[in-house]
Amino acid sequence: MLPRAVVLVEGESDRVALLTLAGRCGRSLADEGIEVVAMGGITNTRALASHYGPRGLRIPLAGLYDAPEEAKLRHGLTAAGLPAALAPDGLPALGFFACSVDLEDELIRALGVEAVEAVIDAAGETRSLRLLAGMPAQRDRTRTAVLRRFLGSRSGRKARYAALLVHALQPGGVPDPLADLLVHVGPEPMIRDEAAPA
């Protein structure tokens, strides 16, 4: 069976974050008929939107993207038969929502630096973070910039921490792009208190 909707995201960490957040809200996107597709980069928007969208399988599309890549996203969606992407408010109207810099930046801002460092400590990687922070190229950077560099510094780390950081979010603390996307494809996301009984 074809999915009822396809959510296009830039990479695997975005996919993991969205699926993890949906799970925390008591939802299974797969059971709802929503397929989340990691595009492997914004430059693949045209090919995937052409396959799934109005010129292909005609499945409704939505997505998450990094704001610096907005022009490429608009171009790819337009080339795939979605000219509404060119309108000033066309992307959110179509269900595409922007992370101000990227997903990691959104999660760090939502949680705060101390909470992110606590997640890294619980994952047993404080020493790795300190080694990175002590490198000459990092010494003049902000703690936020060092955290972003840490999350992207090893293969698979972004996806691992996407899940861990989403699990650390407090009710009411979901970054707007993730919350807006989940609202667009279903009911309003409400994180369950994981410490409370089901």
Side-chain angles (χ1 to χ4, degrees), residues 142-164:
T142 64
R143 288 167 72 192
T144 297
V146 171
L147 286 173
R148 291 185 65 234
R149 179 72 183 94
F150 171 81
L151 295 175
S153 65
R154 182 178 297 170
S155 177
R157 186 176 269 165
K158 276 189 178 184
R160 179 188 184 206
Y161 278 96
L164 293 174

Side-chain angles (χ1 to χ4, degrees), residues 27-67:
R27 296 175 60 184
S28 167
L29 297 185
D31 289 348
E32 294 176 21
I34 300 166
E35 184 176 350
V36 183
V37 176
M39 296 191 292
I42 201 73
T43 55
N44 293 319
T45 300
R46 177 178 181 170
L48 288 164
S50 294
H51 173 71
Y52 290 110
R55 293 182 179 165
L57 297 174
R58 305 178 67 83
I59 298 169
L61 300 176
L64 190 71
Y65 67 96
D66 299 343

Side-chain angles (χ1 to χ4, degrees), residues 131-141:
L131 287 172
L132 176 67
M135 291 180 177
Q138 306 299 323
R139 287 178 188 160
D140 293 331
R141 292 190 173 192

Side-chain angles (χ1 to χ4, degrees), residues 90-168:
L91 291 176
L94 287 171
F96 286 81
F97 301 95
C99 296
S100 58
V101 177
D102 56 21
L103 174 69
E104 291 73 33
D105 179 70
E106 292 284 350
L107 291 172
I108 292 168
R109 285 190 294 111
L111 288 164
V113 168
E114 290 79 9
V116 174
E117 289 175 347
V119 169
I120 292 169
D121 185 56
E125 291 204 279
T126 294
R127 183 173 180 275
S128 295
L129 175 60
R130 287 178 179 161
L131 287 172
L132 176 67
M135 291 180 177
Q138 306 299 323
R139 287 178 188 160
D140 293 331
R141 292 190 173 192
T142 64
R143 288 167 72 192
T144 297
V146 171
L147 286 173
R148 291 185 65 234
R149 179 72 183 94
F150 171 81
L151 295 175
S153 65
R154 182 178 297 170
S155 177
R157 186 176 269 165
K158 276 189 178 184
R160 179 188 184 206
Y161 278 96
L164 293 174
L165 295 176
V166 167
H167 274 297

